[in-house]
Amino acid sequence: MDGGITNLTTEERTNCQRLTPLTTANLLDSVDAFLFDCDGVIWKGDALIDGVSDTLDTLRALGKKLVFVTNNSTKSRRQYAKKFHSVGISVSEDEIFSSSFAAAMYLKVIDFPKEKKVYVIGEEGIGEELQLAGFTSLGGPEDGKKTVQLRPNYLFEHDKSVGAVVVGLDQYINYYKLQYATLCIRENPGCLFIATNRDAVGHLTDLQEWPGAGCMVAAVCGSTQKEPIVVGKPSTFLMEFLLKKFNIPTSRMCMVGDRLDTDILFGQNAGCRTLLVLSGVTDISDLQDSKNHIRPEYFADKVSDIIRFIQ
Amino acid sequence: MDGGITNLTTEERTNCQRLTPLTTANLLDSVDAFLFDCDGVIWKGDALIDGVSDTLDTLRALGKKLVFVTNNSTKSRRQYAKKFHSVGISVSEDEIFSSSFAAAMYLKVIDFPKEKKVYVIGEEGIGEELQLAGFTSLGGPEDGKKTVQLRPNYLFEHDKSVGAVVVGLDQYINYYKLQYATLCIRENPGCLFIATNRDAVGHLTDLQEWPGAGCMVAAVCGSTQKEPIVVGKPSTFLMEFLLKKFNIPTSRMCMVGDRLDTDILFGQNAGCRTLLVLSGVTDISDLQDSKNHIRPEYFADKVSDIIRFIQ
């Protein structure tokens, strides 16, 4: 069967059933690959969520393909594999699809000229993925401590060969980086504005949420009055990339996530089955809120519920 | 004649004539007060624009009231009066309406409780105006060098008595301030989100433009997914405040500015006459661009054109 983005019926999309022995059997039968979000699903901050390790082992034993899809752009795939290892889970780089990797792959797919440069607002992950893909980047961590001088006759110079600005989560966001990105986008002809994702907040620590890439991306929208190309969830760019890699139709993939507006919407946009877990930012009242129009096919307290009912 | 926000006819609004001896005489006859934007009109960075001093003297001699309306929130009215003095123009604090002052006046007008605090993303001006109006502020310059620690068990604490967040231009924007503001707006019940203005960029130096308050405001919109109350141009809050102070109808005021989307729109929203000067961010091609739907009543190269034709 050819891989492709497929459409589920409205009923399949809006059922929203809790995982039970019956629905779990149904889900496992109908799915060949599980796509997992990481923050709030696999871990919270640095703490592994209860039962994750056994769940992944069991799914692998059942022959399911596993893919870890994260909007967090601060790490590269290599750094993510290390993080998985540090929490006791063995995952290969090839199974990881981070938005930092997505940004680099986007530039590759569009044949972004190798002689042009990429300015980065973001952390290590983006620069590392760009380099692995053969691109030259500047900005990012190296501009974390730079300041500006607002005095007469001072000209803030920027590199005219920058042809793309990639914006992701950056805890070292500053005015220097904002001015640099703004000048590139406003003044370099045809300069692309790429956002790893637009998550408003994220569980950067286990105890609370922090401003996400959506904050930095909005700042650049505010100064440039331009809208970005988004490569992370809920954009389907990553899914199209996955489809070329695997030979599985999206209707036989299940997106597992803790966010309605990125994970579940991403899964639905791509025609995947969807499972919301309540171990992250969404609780049952958010799900059942009448203002919420994004309804997953299934929901469960946490990922380990997937194997709870297997005999 | 009672003061009030009046409406001009469509013809008066869309004429868009260059100042000539005839149109200047007409303008001077029909106006009792001139409202001047500062950056790009009075000065550019720290350099006074040619002929400004004589123009202001002549208009005062003709009995016109002068008001200086600026979206730049980095200074207080006191600091602005000092800046005017430093470039050789004598202006009293009472003639200055900065967006920092507007933020403080907004809180006063709505009877914001004095026991609540105000968190500031912005520079000195906002804190100083808040203090003069009797409010307690935190954040601003004192948080300019603060950093965050994204480690397990670290809880970023914020003051639960913050009832309003004011966001303005801040060249010391950082992740600490963004998290602080985001927590107040998301977690303190009823916390207000006030923007001094939403200018995308501004001439913070004479040689180029820099991200404006619109950049910081958008960042906070991005992390909170809330929209702010705007007190600077083009919001009419300042105009309503002016109307209470002067006994002049808005149709006998002329707004002079260099920006179509803030100054001219502000003037039009309030029912003022409008004069665009081409000494700042807008050039003749922007004005004549078919995509531009904001057309001032008059335009001129610079403010001194107002007195050029007076015999």
Side-chain angles (χ1 to χ4, degrees):
Chain A
M1 194 172 182
D2 257 8
I5 293 185
T6 50
N7 289 316
L8 299 178
T9 64
T10 309
E11 202 179 34
E12 282 173 309
R13 282 195 172 178
T14 57
N15 259 347
C16 198
Q17 306 172 70
R18 186 179 269 280
L19 279 190
T20 60
L22 186 70
T23 55
T24 304
N26 187 335
L27 177 66
L28 287 170
D29 277 353
S30 60
V31 162
D32 299 320
F34 281 88
L35 277 49
F36 292 99
D37 175 47
C38 298
D39 289 316
V41 176
I42 303 295
W43 53 59
K44 236 180 172 171
D46 286 316
L48 193 65
I49 290 171
D50 203 33
V52 163
S53 189
D54 286 348
T55 307
L56 301 183
D57 288 346
T58 305
L59 291 175
R60 283 191 206 278
L62 289 170
K64 308 300 180 191
K65 278 201 192 313
L66 306 184
V67 183
F68 300 88
V69 183
T70 173
N71 265 358
N72 189 330
S73 63
T74 61
K75 292 185 174 63
S76 63
R77 295 203 298 170
R78 183 187 62 76
Q79 291 169 313
Y80 261 110
K82 241 172 116 177
K83 171 154 183 177
F84 274 100
H85 190 76
S86 76
V87 293
I89 302 178
S90 174
V91 163
S92 83
E93 287 184 33
D94 262 7
E95 293 174 309
I96 299 165
F97 291 82
S98 60
S99 64
S100 53
F101 177 66
M105 287 308 104
Y106 179 82
L107 291 174
K108 206 158 184 177
V109 165
I110 64 161
D111 274 326
F112 182 75
K114 290 278 156 81
E115 66 276 14
K116 291 232 173 193
K117 292 179 193 145
V118 184
Y119 186 77
V120 176
I121 291 185
E123 303 192 14
E124 278 183 12
I126 299 170
E128 189 170 322
E129 291 295 353
L130 288 171
Q131 195 186 2
L132 286 169
F135 298 113
T136 306
S137 71
L138 63 166
E142 73 187 62
D143 287 354
K145 290 190 173 170
K146 291 190 181 162
T147 55
V148 302
Q149 301 186 317
L150 298 177
R151 55 174 171 72
N153 298 318
Y154 170 68
L155 186 73
F156 185 105
E157 304 267 11
H158 74 284
D159 191 325
K160 304 289 191 297
S161 70
V162 169
V165 170
V166 175
V167 183
L169 174 61
D170 192 340
Q171 62 166 302
Y172 305 102
I173 184 72
N174 61 30
Y175 197 62
Y176 179 97
K177 293 182 188 178
L178 290 167
Q179 168 70 333
Y180 207 108
T182 302
L183 286 176
C184 293
I185 295 170
R186 293 183 79 204
E187 298 187 4
N188 291 3
C191 182
L192 301 171
F193 170 19
I194 297 167
T196 59
N197 69 98
R198 300 195 76 163
D199 291 11
V201 290
H203 260 287
L204 304 195
T205 57
D206 44 352
L207 296 182
Q208 66 196 150
E209 292 181 313
W210 299 77
C215 176
M216 291 82 211
V217 171
V220 177
C221 293
S223 57
T224 60
Q225 302 191 287
K226 297 248 164 91
E227 284 298 304
I229 299 154
V230 181
V231 295
K233 296 173 284 183
S235 142
T236 55
F237 170 73
L238 259 178
M239 190 58 79
E240 285 154 23
F241 193 84
L242 281 179
L243 282 172
K244 281 192 193 142
K245 195 178 149 74
F246 300 126
N247 198 25
I248 301 175
T250 57
S251 61
R252 291 195 64 83
M253 296 183 187
C254 178
M255 178 68 211
V256 185
D258 71 324
R259 284 172 187 272
L260 292 163
D261 60 346
T262 48
D263 301 323
I264 301 305
L265 191 61
F266 167 72
Q268 289 179 343
N269 285 348
C272 297
R273 330 293 304 226
T274 53
L275 167 62
L276 177 80
V277 287
L278 304 174
S279 51
V281 299
T282 308
D283 62 26
I284 188 80
S285 65
D286 297 328
L287 174 62
Q288 292 171 340
D289 193 321
S290 63
K291 276 177 277 177
N292 167 41
H293 298 295
I294 305 171
R295 296 178 69 76
E297 198 179 350
Y298 300 106
F299 72 97
D301 291 330
K302 49 187 189 293
V303 288
S304 59
D305 287 4
I306 304 176
I307 59 158
R308 210 174 117 207
F309 304 112
I310 299 177
Q311 266 88 46
Chain B
M1 195 171 181
D2 257 7
I5 292 183
T6 50
N7 290 317
L8 299 177
T9 64
T10 308
E11 202 180 34
E12 281 174 308
R13 285 196 171 177
T14 57
N15 260 348
C16 196
Q17 304 174 72
R18 186 178 270 280
L19 279 190
T20 61
L22 186 68
T23 55
T24 303
N26 187 336
L27 177 66
L28 287 170
D29 277 351
S30 59
V31 163
D32 299 319
F34 282 88
L35 278 48
F36 291 99
D37 174 47
C38 298
D39 290 317
V41 177
I42 303 295
W43 52 60
K44 235 179 173 170
D46 286 316
L48 194 66
I49 291 171
D50 203 34
V52 163
S53 190
D54 285 349
T55 308
L56 301 183
D57 288 347
T58 305
L59 291 174
R60 282 190 206 279
L62 290 170
K64 308 299 181 192
K65 279 201 189 316
L66 306 185
V67 183
F68 300 88
V69 184
T70 172
N71 265 359
N72 189 331
S73 62
T74 61
K75 292 187 174 64
S76 63
R77 295 202 296 170
R78 183 187 61 80
Q79 291 170 313
Y80 262 108
K82 240 171 117 178
K83 171 153 184 177
F84 274 101
H85 188 79
S86 76
V87 293
I89 303 177
S90 175
V91 163
S92 84
E93 286 184 33
D94 263 7
E95 292 175 309
I96 299 165
F97 291 81
S98 60
S99 64
S100 54
F101 177 66
M105 287 307 105
Y106 179 81
L107 291 174
K108 207 160 184 175
V109 164
I110 64 161
D111 274 327
F112 182 75
K114 290 278 156 80
E115 66 276 14
K116 291 232 173 195
K117 293 178 191 145
V118 183
Y119 187 77
V120 177
I121 291 185
E123 302 191 14
E124 278 182 13
I126 299 172
E128 188 170 321
E129 290 296 351
L130 288 171
Q131 195 186 3
L132 286 169
F135 298 112
T136 306
S137 72
L138 63 167
E142 73 187 64
D143 287 353
K145 290 190 173 170
K146 291 192 181 161
T147 55
V148 302
Q149 301 187 317
L150 297 177
R151 55 173 169 72
N153 297 318
Y154 170 68
L155 187 73
F156 185 105
E157 304 267 11
H158 74 285
D159 191 325
K160 305 290 190 297
S161 70
V162 169
V165 170
V166 175
V167 183
L169 174 61
D170 190 340
Q171 64 165 301
Y172 305 102
I173 185 71
N174 61 30
Y175 198 61
Y176 179 97
K177 293 181 188 179
L178 290 167
Q179 168 71 333
Y180 207 110
T182 302
L183 286 175
C184 292
I185 294 170
R186 292 183 79 203
E187 299 188 3
N188 290 3
C191 182
L192 300 170
F193 171 19
I194 297 167
T196 59
N197 68 98
R198 300 195 76 163
D199 291 13
V201 290
H203 259 288
L204 304 195
T205 57
D206 44 351
L207 296 182
Q208 65 196 152
E209 290 180 314
W210 299 77
C215 177
M216 291 82 211
V217 170
V220 178
C221 293
S223 58
T224 61
Q225 302 191 286
K226 297 246 164 90
E227 285 298 305
I229 299 154
V230 181
V231 295
K233 295 175 283 185
S235 143
T236 55
F237 170 74
L238 259 177
M239 190 58 78
E240 285 154 23
F241 193 85
L242 282 178
L243 282 171
K244 281 191 193 143
K245 197 177 150 73
F246 301 127
N247 197 24
I248 300 174
T250 57
S251 62
R252 292 195 64 83
M253 298 183 188
C254 179
M255 177 69 213
V256 186
D258 69 325
R259 283 171 187 272
L260 292 163
D261 60 348
T262 49
D263 301 324
I264 300 306
L265 192 60
F266 167 73
Q268 289 179 344
N269 286 347
C272 297
R273 330 292 304 224
T274 53
L275 168 61
L276 178 81
V277 288
L278 304 174
S279 51
V281 299
T282 308
D283 62 26
I284 188 80
S285 65
D286 297 327
L287 174 63
Q288 292 171 339
D289 192 320
S290 63
K291 276 176 278 177
N292 166 41
H293 299 294
I294 304 170
R295 294 177 70 76
E297 197 178 349
Y298 300 105
F299 72 97
D301 291 329
K302 49 186 189 294
V303 288
S304 59
D305 287 5
I306 303 175
I307 59 160
R308 212 174 116 208
F309 304 113
I310 299 177
Q311 263 90 45

